[in-house]
């Protein structure tokens, strides 16, 4: 083949590649490829053999793409039975869960072509002045009233004064609109209030957040009749009614759609009048606020054997509101979750008759309960639990950094040891990730989006990151935080984290079944439509053909994009950030978004309905989507903060961490794909030169630790919603006071250390006060410096101390 023919082949392949890469329509690519091939053939740019091969390929491809009637009759129609078998069955409850809520940025990531400018152009979520005032005044006042040690080990409940303050200041009505007597605050404020209270008391935060998330108020706002709203919402806002919502049953936990609790439509007596209603039986547990609730929200399966509401006998899951004082309602005993003091307990009812209009939304909403729950679950997953998770990490960041700098072992600060520095680095990086994800996800809710997939990502990954941050903090504090008492700020966080892991969809379920399982159908541009058309009794063949052809073009485009990105390392992908290192990582996120689109489609094509049963495959695909979402939150947070220079290392660490997790998920997917040869091919396409992403290096890890160890603007930004007490006995107050003095104190300590090293004063390492006195006598320290050092060391000694109790521990918890 001569040079001219080689050039012709290259040009021809470039046109074909470009047409597929940019997913040109069938008619457009047919014209482009056809004209190019004709010109190259007529003017002799192709020798005989390449020309014949290109023409054969072109004619076959063009015929397949453009002869719609023939394709539908001889290909799509005969394939339909096969497609029906391959398609995973979708139950009614699965369909309701899939259709609940909205998709958002996660759909961009799933499709492989994220429009970063669209995300970054969304206005920064901010608090209004009214919300900021509430945070600075009412929330700070509440926090000042909380003594977590007393709440958990003495009262085992919030003090009555705290309950009354919560009611008086409408903490239970933060999300209830003002026209119903609530505060009408944003999701961001709701999240921030939960975060701030949780840095003081997890128990108080849970008691506060539950009435504002999944429960009667949220359900009434979206689905209640106007009569129900007008009656209940003002009473809920002021705390006159304390709500709970009963969903979990002994035999139906994460599988809430299988609840055995039932109600039968019938006629009965209510307030002396025969009324159409429901006779209920239920047995619920783990219900937060149930022991003190005055208003019970209840989920049950409704039956209508006498057809009093219509022709359907099994109406389905239904939600209703029942006053706790109603005859037959059993309520009041409590559970004791992980020794925390928030109210949680069982509720039961047997043969309880209620009027039909106690259904939330009235009788017309009977049977719609599962959809209602799925749509409102995003509130708890997007706001409350991420707020708790972020609070734990913020508090750990704020207090563990100073402790590691002030606590000394082997005559060196703990922070000087690389093992401790490594743990501190994870705390720092996770805190940045958590705050970024918290704000972006809450911001989505304020955009009137119900981000069902994003909220599942936030719930799972943020609670897991919080668990890791707390574990690293426990490793650093060691025995100091094992001993419970008023001095211990970490023990209750450590006890509480398993609760967040298990509630509102256990994390194992969320990762293995929900994130990708629902994400694939909701976020894929064609899958849901294909499923509907294929499963229909009378399939619309032309419409199915149209969707399938678009899907083929989508898959082909993603395949070629992955080949191009893999071979080029993604170097030519458009990125928008000013910092070159951040821009480079942004390109890799686009590259991995394209990889996810290819991997997801390939898995769906090759595994079909069996993918539902292959949870580990689904979980790894979900991990890729999740890490892309978390990385996106980091870029959004960084951009919203005006891309400050002091955050660059945190951004790089976070993005590298996310990309490494994606690498691990991809490698495990390749190695364990049911068809090993498919896994090998995918690996070669996406990572042709082997592993592309590694964990952040030691120097970057060190860089993100430094702001933890000294007063800094970045430290203040990351921990701005930690409650800071001014009480002299508060551990956090002591740590931060000591940290503020280190810049002044450390030069004095260095002078004393140099004097010891030079033999001017003896080491006397076990009596710091004596050593300092000798330094002052030797002229190493001035009298003023001696006073400052003694005061500093006395306060440092208080920080290191742990609580001691009498032998009779019953007195401690009596």
């Amino acid at each position: 083949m001569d040079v001219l023919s080689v050039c012709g082949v290259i040009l021809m392949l470039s046109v074909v590649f470009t047409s597929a890469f940019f997913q040109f329509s069938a008619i457009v690519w047919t014209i482009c490829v056809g004209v190019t091939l004709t010109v190259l053939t007529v003017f002799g740019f192709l020798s005989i053999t390449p020309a014949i091969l290109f023409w054969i390929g072109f004619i076959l491809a063009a015929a397949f793409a453009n002869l719609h009637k023939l394709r539908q009759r001889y290909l799509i129609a005969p394939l339909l039975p096969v497609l029906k078998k391959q398609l995973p069955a979708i139950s009614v409850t699965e369909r309701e869960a899939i259709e609940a809520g909205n998709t958002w940025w996660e759909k961009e990531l799933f499709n492989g072509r994220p429009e970063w400018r669209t995300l970054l152009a969304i206005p920064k979520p901010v608090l209004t002045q009214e919300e900021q005032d509430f945070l600075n005044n009412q929330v700070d006042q509440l926090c000042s009233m909380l003594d977590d040690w007393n709440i958990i080990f003495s009262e085992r409940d919030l003090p009555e004064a705290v309950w009354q303050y919560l009611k008086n200041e409408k903490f239970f009505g933060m999300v209830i609109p003002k026209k119903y007597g609530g505060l009408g605050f944003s999701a961001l404020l709701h999240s921030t209030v939960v975060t701030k209270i949780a840095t003081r008391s997890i128990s108080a935060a849970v008691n506060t957040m539950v009435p504002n998330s999944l429960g009667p108020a949220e359900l009434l706002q979206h689905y209640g009749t106007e009569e129900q709203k007008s009656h209940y919402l003002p009473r809920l806002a002021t705390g006159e009614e304390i709500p709970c919502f009963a969903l979990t049953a002994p035999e139906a936990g994460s599988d809430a759609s299988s609840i055995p609790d039932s109600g039968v439509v019938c006629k009965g007596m209510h307030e002396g009048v025969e009324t159409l209603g429901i006779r209920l039986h239920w047995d619920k547990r783990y219900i937060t606020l149930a022991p003190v609730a005055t208003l019970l929200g209840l989920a049950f399966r409704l039956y209508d054997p006498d057809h009093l509401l219509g022709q359907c006998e099994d109406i389905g899951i239904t939600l209703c509101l029942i006053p706790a004082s109603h005859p037959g309602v059993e309520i009041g005993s409590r559970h004791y979750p992980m020794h925390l003091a928030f109210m949680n307990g069982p509720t039961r009812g047997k043969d309880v008759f209620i009027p039909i209009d106690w259904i939330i939304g009235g009788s017309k909403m009977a049977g719609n309960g599962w959809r209602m729950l799925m749509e409102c679950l995003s509130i708890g997953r997007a706001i409350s639990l991420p707020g708790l998770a972020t609070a734990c990490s913020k508090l750990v960041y704020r207090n563990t950094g100073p402790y590691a700098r002030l606590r000394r072992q082997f005559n060196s600060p703990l922070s000087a040891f690389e093992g401790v520095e490594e743990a501190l680095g994870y705390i720092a990086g996770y805190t940045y990730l958590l705050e970024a994800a918290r704000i972006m996800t809450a911001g989505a809710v304020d955009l009137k989006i119900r981000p069902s997939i994003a909220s599942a990502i936030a719930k799972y990954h943020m609670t897991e990151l919080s668990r890791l941050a707390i574990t690293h903090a426990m490793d650093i504090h060691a025995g100091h935080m094992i001993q419970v008492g008023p001095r211990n700020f970490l023990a209750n966080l450590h006890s509480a984290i398993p609760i967040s892991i298990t509630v509102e969809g256990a994390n194992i379920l969320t990762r293995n079944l929900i994130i990708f399982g629902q994400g694939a159908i909701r976020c894929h541009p064609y899958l849901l439509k294909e499923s509907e058309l294929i499963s229909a009794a009378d399939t619309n063949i032309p419409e199915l053909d149209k969707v399938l052809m678009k899907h083929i073009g989508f898959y082909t485009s993603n395949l070629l994009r992955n080949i191009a990105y893999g071979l080029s390392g993604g170097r030519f992908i458009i990125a928008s950030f000013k910092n070159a290192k951040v821009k480079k990582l942004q390109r890799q996120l686009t590259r991995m978004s394209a990889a996810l689109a290819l991997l997801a489609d390939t898995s769906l094509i090759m595994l079909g309905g069996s993918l539902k049963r292959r949870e580990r495959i689904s979980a790894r695909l979900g991990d890729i989507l999740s890490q892309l979402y978390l990385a996106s939150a980091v870029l959004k947070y960084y951009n919203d903060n005006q891309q400050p220079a002091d955050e660059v290392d945190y951004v790089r660490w976070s993005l590298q961490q996310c990309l490494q997790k994606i690498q691990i998920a991809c490698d495990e997917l390749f190695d364990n794909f049911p068809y090993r040869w498919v896994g090998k091919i995918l690996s070669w396409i996406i990572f042709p030169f082997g592993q592309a992403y590694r964990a952040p290096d030691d120097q970057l890890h060190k860089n993100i630790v430094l702001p933890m160890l000294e007063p800094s603007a970045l430290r203040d930004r990351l921990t701005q919603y930690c409650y800071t007490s001014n009480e002299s006995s508060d551990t956090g107050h002591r740590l931060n006071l000591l940290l503020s003095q280190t810049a002044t104190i450390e030069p004095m300590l260095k002078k004393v250390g140099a004097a010891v090293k030079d033999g001017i004063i003896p080491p006397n390492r076990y009596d710091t006060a004596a050593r300092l006195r000798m330094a002052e006598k030797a002229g190493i320290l001035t009298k003023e410096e001696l006073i400052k050092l003694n005061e500093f060391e006395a306060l440092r000694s208080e920080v290191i101390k742990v609580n001691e109790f009498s032998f009779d521990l019953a007195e401690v918890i009596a």
Side-chain angles (χ1 to χ4, degrees):
M1 187 183 298
D2 57 24
V3 174
L4 193 61
S5 293
V6 171
C7 293
V9 169
I10 292 173
L11 180 59
M12 191 66 237
L13 290 174
S14 298
V15 173
V16 172
F17 188 93
T18 301
S19 299
F21 187 97
F22 291 104
Q23 206 173 338
F24 291 169
S25 65
I27 189 65
V28 172
W29 75 254
T30 300
I31 292 171
C32 289
V33 174
V35 169
T36 304
L37 185 55
T38 300
V39 170
L40 292 176
T41 303
V42 169
F43 289 97
F45 283 91
L46 292 174
S47 58
I48 297 297
T49 302
I52 292 173
L53 293 175
F54 276 125
W55 275 107
I56 292 172
F58 169 68
I59 291 169
L60 291 175
F64 176 79
N66 293 283
L67 299 178
H68 308 296
K69 298 293 184 182
L70 291 175
R71 184 178 65 244
Q72 294 163 16
R73 183 174 183 178
Y74 294 106
L75 181 62
I76 304 301
L79 274 177
L80 186 58
V82 178
L83 293 173
K84 285 182 180 289
K85 289 182 180 179
Q86 187 79 347
L87 183 74
I90 301 176
S91 67
V92 174
T93 52
E94 284 178 319
R95 180 169 291 278
E96 288 180 343
I98 289 167
E99 292 174 352
N102 314 108
T103 54
W104 184 50
W105 177 249
E106 65 273 27
K107 186 167 186 174
E108 290 277 326
L109 296 171
F110 200 96
N111 289 345
R113 300 171 183 266
E115 290 288 343
W116 295 105
R117 293 185 187 278
T118 302
L119 176 68
L120 301 179
I122 296 172
K124 176 182 179 180
V126 294
L127 302 176
T128 65
Q129 188 58 53
E130 181 185 10
E131 290 173 336
Q132 190 66 55
D133 290 343
F134 184 82
L135 195 64
N136 294 341
N137 297 305
Q138 284 90 334
V139 177
D140 273 7
Q141 176 61 30
L142 171 64
C143 289
S144 72
M145 300 167 68
L146 300 174
D147 179 346
D148 208 33
W149 171 256
N150 180 63
I151 288 169
I152 291 177
F153 288 97
S154 180
E155 301 275 348
R156 295 186 177 87
D157 189 6
L158 299 183
E160 182 57 36
V162 172
W163 278 111
Q164 195 57 50
Y165 187 78
L166 289 168
K167 295 174 183 179
N168 292 345
E169 298 299 332
K170 298 187 178 181
F171 275 81
F172 299 146
M174 286 190 292
V175 299
I176 293 175
K178 290 183 178 181
K179 73 174 183 176
Y180 294 112
L183 296 175
F185 286 156
S186 65
L188 180 61
L189 188 278
H190 175 191
S191 169
T192 306
V193 169
V194 170
T195 298
K196 194 164 194 175
I197 298 173
T199 63
R200 188 66 168 170
S201 169
I202 293 288
S203 297
V206 173
N207 278 344
T208 304
M209 80 185 193
V210 167
N212 291 287
S213 55
L214 177 62
E218 182 70 22
L219 292 164
L220 282 169
Q221 287 182 67
H222 293 292
Y223 311 108
T225 65
E226 190 55 43
E227 183 181 0
Q228 289 171 338
K229 292 177 183 178
S230 298
H231 176 73
Y232 281 118
L233 289 178
R235 298 159 67 89
L236 288 166
T238 60
E240 184 179 349
E241 298 279 10
I242 298 295
C244 70
F245 189 81
L247 175 62
T248 303
E251 296 292 341
S254 294
D255 184 17
S257 63
S258 300
I259 52 176
D261 313 286
S262 62
V264 176
V265 180
C266 62
K267 291 185 178 181
M269 301 301 292
H270 178 67
E271 297 180 348
V273 179
E274 187 179 56
T275 305
L276 180 64
I278 305 168
R279 196 162 298 281
L280 287 163
H281 303 267
W282 74 87
D283 180 9
K284 303 287 192 179
R285 63 180 181 180
Y286 309 155
I287 312 305
T288 300
L289 292 184
V292 296
T294 63
L295 182 64
L296 169 68
L298 183 70
F300 61 96
R301 183 170 287 277
L302 181 63
Y303 299 93
D304 185 15
D306 296 329
H307 305 289
L308 297 176
L309 292 180
Q311 295 304 308
C312 182
E313 291 191 12
D314 183 356
I315 294 177
I317 294 173
T318 301
L319 312 182
C320 70
L321 294 177
I322 309 173
S325 59
H326 190 66
V329 176
E330 296 180 27
I331 209 164
S333 58
R334 70 180 292 183
H335 302 311
Y336 203 19
M338 301 303 291
H339 283 271
L340 297 185
F342 65 87
M343 289 291 108
N344 185 275
T347 174
R348 300 177 181 89
K350 185 176 182 181
D351 204 27
V352 178
F353 180 80
I354 66 168
I356 199 75
D357 58 7
W358 286 11
I359 294 175
I360 297 175
S363 59
K364 71 178 185 297
M365 295 303 292
N368 289 295
W370 187 242
R371 176 177 62 83
M372 294 159 67
L373 287 172
M374 289 299 98
E375 289 182 348
C376 288
L377 264 176
S378 64
I379 302 301
R381 288 174 176 167
I383 298 173
S384 305
L385 295 173
L388 286 179
T390 307
C392 294
S393 196
K394 281 175 175 284
L395 187 59
V396 162
Y397 182 104
R398 188 166 184 85
N399 288 348
T400 305
Y403 179 81
R405 182 170 180 178
L406 297 164
R407 182 75 167 95
R408 303 178 72 83
Q409 292 282 284
F410 306 104
N411 207 31
S412 296
L414 288 182
S415 58
F417 294 90
E418 289 193 352
V420 173
E421 183 183 75
E422 182 179 9
L424 288 170
Y426 284 118
I427 293 170
Y430 294 157
T431 303
Y432 192 84
L433 269 167
L434 285 165
E435 178 69 346
R438 180 187 75 85
I439 292 177
M440 186 167 104
T441 309
V445 177
D446 283 328
L447 293 172
K448 307 307 177 187
I449 296 166
R450 294 182 184 176
S452 55
I453 308 305
S455 64
I457 291 170
K459 190 273 173 181
Y460 170 70
H461 287 278
M462 293 182 73
T463 54
E464 290 293 344
L465 288 176
S466 179
R467 171 155 59 178
L468 291 172
I470 291 168
T471 301
H472 285 304
M474 288 295 290
D475 287 347
I476 294 168
H477 288 273
H480 183 238
M481 286 292 144
I482 289 175
Q483 312 304 330
V484 297
R487 294 174 180 271
N488 191 322
F489 71 88
L490 194 52
N492 293 337
L493 303 185
H494 193 264
S495 296
I497 195 64
I499 300 172
S500 295
I501 297 295
T502 59
V503 299
E504 301 207 18
N507 275 11
I508 291 175
L509 167 79
T510 302
R511 175 177 180 256
N512 285 37
L513 297 178
I514 295 178
I515 294 175
F516 180 78
Q518 291 184 15
I521 296 177
R522 290 301 307 275
C523 297
H524 196 287
Y526 309 112
L527 187 59
L528 182 58
K529 184 66 174 177
E530 288 169 346
S531 300
E532 291 172 344
L533 288 168
I534 292 169
S535 60
D538 185 17
T539 300
N540 185 330
I541 296 294
E543 185 64 24
L544 176 60
D545 171 71
K546 182 180 178 181
V547 176
L548 286 174
M549 289 303 295
K550 288 182 178 179
H551 194 161
I552 291 170
F554 176 75
Y555 183 84
T556 304
S557 174
N558 279 321
L559 174 63
L560 294 178
R561 289 170 69 237
N562 273 279
I563 292 171
Y565 293 165
L567 293 173
S568 67
R571 290 178 178 83
F572 306 110
I573 298 172
I574 296 173
S576 56
F577 281 86
K578 292 180 286 187
N579 185 281
K581 293 179 179 179
V582 174
K583 184 182 290 188
K584 178 181 178 182
L585 293 167
Q586 184 191 4
R587 291 191 181 103
Q588 297 309 309
L589 295 177
T590 301
R591 177 185 173 187
M592 287 300 99
S593 175
L596 172 62
L598 178 65
L599 291 171
D601 255 341
T602 303
S603 299
L604 290 163
I605 292 167
M606 299 299 296
L607 303 178
S610 70
L611 183 57
K612 286 179 66 175
R613 300 186 299 275
R614 299 182 185 275
E615 294 179 27
R616 291 176 179 172
I617 299 293
S618 179
R620 287 160 184 148
L621 290 167
D623 287 345
I624 299 170
L625 176 60
S626 298
Q627 295 301 326
L628 287 169
Y629 180 83
L630 293 175
S632 301
V634 167
L635 289 177
K636 178 82 169 78
Y637 181 72
Y638 172 60
N639 186 70
D640 285 348
N641 287 346
Q642 305 301 314
Q643 303 186 25
D646 61 353
E647 289 185 18
V648 169
D649 285 337
Y650 273 73
V651 173
R652 290 176 57 216
W653 188 95
S654 300
L655 298 185
Q656 288 181 24
Q657 183 77 2
C658 291
L659 287 167
Q660 194 234 358
K661 297 294 185 186
I662 291 172
Q663 179 80 61
I664 291 170
C666 287
D667 289 345
E668 290 179 352
L669 181 62
F670 300 148
D671 293 342
N672 294 279
F673 202 83
Y675 304 103
R676 294 298 176 91
W677 60 274
V678 175
K680 289 288 186 185
I681 292 173
L682 289 171
S683 177
W684 293 335
I685 290 171
I686 296 170
F687 300 115
F689 305 113
Q691 182 178 354
Y693 311 118
R694 290 174 171 77
D697 62 34
D698 293 348
Q699 186 57 52
L700 186 55
H701 216 77
K702 181 189 289 288
N703 291 350
I704 66 170
V705 170
L706 293 177
M708 297 177 71
L709 305 179
E710 59 190 16
S712 66
L714 178 54
R715 179 175 181 270
D716 290 341
R717 275 203 306 279
L718 274 183
T719 63
Q720 63 178 315
Y721 299 123
C722 277
Y723 175 72
T724 53
S725 172
N726 292 320
E727 297 176 12
S728 59
S729 60
D730 182 79
T731 299
H733 173 75
R734 287 168 172 165
L735 282 165
N736 286 286
L737 186 59
L738 286 168
L739 188 66
S740 68
Q741 297 174 12
T742 52
T744 303
I745 294 297
E746 284 189 346
M748 303 178 198
L749 291 174
K750 286 181 180 179
K751 289 196 294 183
V752 176
V756 171
K757 186 176 181 180
D758 294 340
I760 298 173
I761 56 175
N764 202 6
R765 58 183 295 188
Y766 300 108
D767 190 345
T768 302
R771 186 167 70 247
L772 294 178
R773 285 195 301 272
M774 285 186 281
E776 192 259 339
K777 286 182 181 179
I780 306 299
L781 297 173
T782 66
K783 191 170 186 61
E784 291 76 14
E785 289 175 329
L786 177 63
I787 293 171
K788 287 182 180 178
L789 277 173
N790 279 329
E791 290 174 348
F792 181 87
E793 286 298 324
L795 187 56
R796 195 177 73 87
S797 177
E798 284 297 315
V799 164
I800 294 171
K801 285 180 182 177
V802 298
N803 287 104
E804 301 174 7
F805 302 102
S806 65
F807 188 80
D808 185 1
L809 287 179
E811 295 178 11
V812 177
I813 59 175

